Amino acid sequence: MDKQLDREILDILEEDGRADAAEMAQMLGAEPEAVREALERLERDKVIVKYTAVVDRSKLDADGYVDAVIEVKITPQRDYGYDDLARRIYRFDEVYSVYLMAGRYDLSVRVRARSMQEISKFVWEKLAVIDGVTSTATTFLMRKYKESGVVLAEELHDDRLVVSP
Protein backbone atom coordinates (compact mmCIF):
# COMPACT_ATOMS: atom_id res chain seq x y z
CA MET A 1 0.00 0.00 0.00
CA ASP A 2 1.41 3.37 -1.09
CA LYS A 3 -0.03 6.10 1.13
CA GLN A 4 1.40 8.84 -1.07
CA LEU A 5 -0.34 7.41 -4.14
CA ASP A 6 -3.56 7.10 -2.12
CA ARG A 7 -3.36 10.77 -1.09
CA GLU A 8 -2.70 11.90 -4.65
CA ILE A 9 -5.62 9.84 -5.97
CA LEU A 10 -7.92 11.33 -3.32
CA ASP A 11 -6.73 14.86 -4.19
CA ILE A 12 -7.58 14.27 -7.85
CA LEU A 13 -10.99 12.77 -7.05
CA GLU A 14 -11.89 15.63 -4.74
CA GLU A 15 -11.17 18.00 -7.60
CA ASP A 16 -12.76 15.85 -10.34
CA GLY A 17 -14.86 12.87 -9.28
CA ARG A 18 -15.17 11.75 -12.91
CA ALA A 19 -11.44 11.13 -13.39
CA ASP A 20 -10.80 7.49 -14.27
CA ALA A 21 -7.85 5.28 -13.36
CA ALA A 22 -6.11 5.75 -16.72
CA GLU A 23 -6.30 9.56 -16.47
CA MET A 24 -5.07 9.52 -12.89
CA ALA A 25 -2.21 7.17 -13.76
CA GLN A 26 -1.10 9.53 -16.51
CA MET A 27 -1.33 12.56 -14.22
CA LEU A 28 0.62 10.80 -11.46
CA GLY A 29 3.17 9.00 -13.61
CA ALA A 30 1.94 5.70 -12.17
CA GLU A 31 0.87 2.39 -13.67
CA PRO A 32 -2.87 2.25 -14.46
CA GLU A 33 -3.15 -1.14 -12.72
CA ALA A 34 -1.63 0.31 -9.51
CA VAL A 35 -4.18 3.15 -9.58
CA ARG A 36 -7.07 0.71 -10.21
CA GLU A 37 -5.95 -1.47 -7.30
CA ALA A 38 -5.62 1.57 -5.04
CA LEU A 39 -9.12 2.75 -6.02
CA GLU A 40 -10.62 -0.66 -5.30
CA ARG A 41 -8.90 -0.79 -1.90
CA LEU A 42 -9.94 2.77 -1.01
CA GLU A 43 -13.55 1.94 -1.90
CA ARG A 44 -13.47 -1.39 -0.03
CA ASP A 45 -11.96 0.30 3.07
CA LYS A 46 -14.64 3.04 2.90
CA VAL A 47 -12.05 5.79 2.45
CA ILE A 48 -13.93 6.64 -0.74
CA VAL A 49 -17.51 6.50 0.47
CA LYS A 50 -19.42 7.94 -2.47
CA TYR A 51 -18.91 9.67 -5.78
CA THR A 52 -21.07 12.76 -6.10
CA ALA A 53 -21.66 15.85 -8.20
CA VAL A 54 -21.78 19.50 -7.16
CA VAL A 55 -25.13 20.74 -8.45
CA ASP A 56 -26.46 24.30 -8.67
CA ARG A 57 -30.20 23.62 -8.54
CA SER A 58 -31.01 27.33 -8.66
CA LYS A 59 -30.13 27.33 -12.36
CA LEU A 60 -32.68 24.62 -13.04
CA ASP A 61 -35.52 25.34 -10.67
CA ALA A 62 -35.82 28.43 -8.48
CA ASP A 63 -38.56 26.68 -6.48
CA GLY A 64 -36.48 23.57 -5.76
CA TYR A 65 -35.23 22.66 -2.33
CA VAL A 66 -34.69 24.76 0.76
CA ASP A 67 -31.52 24.10 2.75
CA ALA A 68 -30.95 24.98 6.38
CA VAL A 69 -28.24 24.63 8.98
CA ILE A 70 -29.52 23.74 12.43
CA GLU A 71 -27.27 24.32 15.41
CA VAL A 72 -28.08 21.77 18.08
CA LYS A 73 -27.05 21.84 21.73
CA ILE A 74 -27.22 18.46 23.38
CA THR A 75 -26.66 16.79 26.72
CA PRO A 76 -25.14 13.42 25.93
CA GLN A 77 -26.58 10.45 27.79
CA ARG A 78 -24.30 8.52 30.11
CA ASP A 79 -22.58 5.58 28.36
CA TYR A 80 -23.77 6.79 24.91
CA GLY A 81 -22.17 10.19 24.34
CA TYR A 82 -22.46 12.38 21.26
CA ASP A 83 -22.31 9.51 18.78
CA ASP A 84 -25.65 8.03 19.82
CA LEU A 85 -27.50 11.35 19.48
CA ALA A 86 -25.80 12.07 16.16
CA ARG A 87 -26.84 8.62 14.92
CA ARG A 88 -30.46 9.23 15.92
CA ILE A 89 -30.41 12.55 14.06
CA TYR A 90 -28.67 11.47 10.84
CA ARG A 91 -31.19 8.69 10.25
CA PHE A 92 -33.93 11.19 9.35
CA ASP A 93 -34.53 11.53 5.60
CA GLU A 94 -34.39 15.35 5.75
CA VAL A 95 -30.84 15.29 7.15
CA TYR A 96 -27.94 15.13 4.73
CA SER A 97 -25.01 16.14 6.97
CA VAL A 98 -24.25 16.03 10.69
CA TYR A 99 -21.03 17.32 12.24
CA LEU A 100 -19.76 17.31 15.83
CA MET A 101 -18.59 20.85 16.56
CA ALA A 102 -16.50 22.67 19.14
CA GLY A 103 -17.88 26.07 20.06
CA ARG A 104 -21.33 27.55 20.74
CA TYR A 105 -23.19 24.37 19.87
CA ASP A 106 -22.49 20.64 19.75
CA LEU A 107 -23.87 19.46 16.41
CA SER A 108 -24.31 21.16 13.07
CA VAL A 109 -27.13 19.54 11.11
CA ARG A 110 -27.74 20.33 7.41
CA VAL A 111 -31.23 19.57 6.23
CA ARG A 112 -33.07 19.84 2.93
CA ALA A 113 -36.82 19.99 2.28
CA ARG A 114 -39.32 21.41 -0.21
CA SER A 115 -40.18 24.44 1.94
CA MET A 116 -39.23 26.42 5.03
CA GLN A 117 -42.40 25.10 6.65
CA GLU A 118 -41.28 21.49 6.14
CA ILE A 119 -37.94 22.27 7.79
CA SER A 120 -39.70 24.02 10.68
CA LYS A 121 -41.99 21.02 11.10
CA PHE A 122 -38.97 18.70 11.09
CA VAL A 123 -37.36 20.74 13.87
CA TRP A 124 -40.37 20.86 16.19
CA GLU A 125 -41.76 17.37 15.51
CA LYS A 126 -38.62 15.28 15.13
CA LEU A 127 -35.43 17.02 16.20
CA ALA A 128 -36.29 19.15 19.23
CA VAL A 129 -38.19 16.32 20.95
CA ILE A 130 -35.22 13.91 21.05
CA ASP A 131 -34.11 13.22 24.62
CA GLY A 132 -30.80 14.99 25.09
CA VAL A 133 -31.49 17.85 22.66
CA THR A 134 -31.59 21.00 24.78
CA SER A 135 -31.91 23.69 22.10
CA THR A 136 -31.84 24.33 18.38
CA ALA A 137 -31.20 27.37 16.19
CA THR A 138 -32.20 27.17 12.53
CA THR A 139 -30.58 29.26 9.81
CA PHE A 140 -31.96 29.06 6.28
CA LEU A 141 -29.53 29.23 3.38
CA MET A 142 -30.56 31.99 1.01
CA ARG A 143 -27.97 31.61 -1.75
CA LYS A 144 -24.96 29.40 -2.36
CA TYR A 145 -21.87 31.22 -3.54
CA LYS A 146 -19.40 28.35 -3.25
CA GLU A 147 -19.95 24.64 -2.58
CA SER A 148 -17.31 21.93 -2.22
CA GLY A 149 -14.66 24.29 -3.58
CA VAL A 150 -16.70 25.25 -6.65
CA VAL A 151 -17.84 28.85 -7.18
CA LEU A 152 -21.55 28.79 -8.05
CA ALA A 153 -22.31 32.52 -8.16
CA GLU A 154 -21.58 34.24 -11.43
CA GLU A 155 -19.13 37.09 -11.25
CA LEU A 156 -20.87 40.43 -10.91
CA HIS A 157 -19.76 43.14 -13.34
CA ASP A 158 -20.21 46.78 -12.40
CA ASP A 159 -21.38 48.53 -15.58
CA ARG A 160 -21.68 51.93 -13.96
CA LEU A 161 -19.62 54.80 -15.34
CA VAL A 162 -16.75 55.99 -13.23
CA VAL A 163 -17.41 59.55 -12.06
CA SER A 164 -14.64 61.64 -10.59
CA PRO A 165 -14.79 65.20 -9.26
Side-chain angles (χ1 to χ4, degrees):
M1 172 172 56
D2 182 354
K3 284 207 180 276
Q4 183 61 31
L5 179 63
D6 291 354
R7 286 187 190 100
E8 290 173 346
I9 289 170
L10 295 174
D11 288 344
I12 291 170
L13 287 175
E14 285 181 329
E15 191 64 33
D16 179 8
R18 295 179 71 180
D20 64 22
E23 290 174 302
M24 287 189 270
Q26 186 176 14
M27 293 167 71
L28 300 172
E31 292 297 320
E33 187 58 32
V35 172
R36 272 190 284 284
E37 289 172 4
L39 282 168
E40 288 172 7
R41 183 177 27 71
L42 291 166
E43 290 170 355
R44 184 180 59 247
D45 293 346
K46 302 288 188 216
V47 175
I48 298 173
V49 180
K50 179 181 178 180
Y51 294 90
T52 185
V54 176
V55 178
D56 187 355
R57 290 182 179 272
S58 68
K59 293 202 167 106
L60 177 65
D61 182 8
D63 295 327
Y65 291 100
V66 176
D67 293 337
V69 176
I70 305 170
E71 299 172 350
V72 182
K73 289 186 181 180
I74 60 176
T75 302
Q77 305 298 316
R78 186 180 181 112
D79 298 326
Y80 294 104
Y82 293 101
D83 295 343
D84 183 60
L85 285 167
R87 188 177 304 108
R88 291 172 66 189
I89 292 168
Y90 70 58
R91 288 184 176 157
F92 292 114
D93 291 336
E94 298 89 344
V95 174
Y96 66 95
S97 298
V98 177
Y99 306 99
L100 178 63
M101 306 297 289
R104 297 183 326 228
Y105 52 94
D106 301 305
L107 297 176
S108 176
V109 180
R110 298 233 5 220
V111 297
R112 175 173 287 159
R114 285 285 181 191
S115 68
M116 294 170 94
Q117 291 79 11
E118 283 186 26
I119 291 174
S120 298
K121 187 176 180 182
F122 164 77
V123 172
W124 82 66
E125 287 185 354
K126 296 179 180 177
L127 182 60
V129 297
I130 296 174
D131 286 338
V133 171
T134 59
S135 70
T136 65
T138 303
T139 305
F140 290 96
L141 283 96
M142 304 302 286
R143 181 176 183 189
K144 293 180 183 179
Y145 292 99
K146 188 173 185 177
E147 173 116 5
S148 299
V150 178
V151 175
L152 300 176
E154 296 178 20
E155 295 293 322
L156 300 176
H157 298 285
D158 191 353
D159 295 330
R160 297 179 292 175
L161 294 174
V162 176
V163 178
S164 60

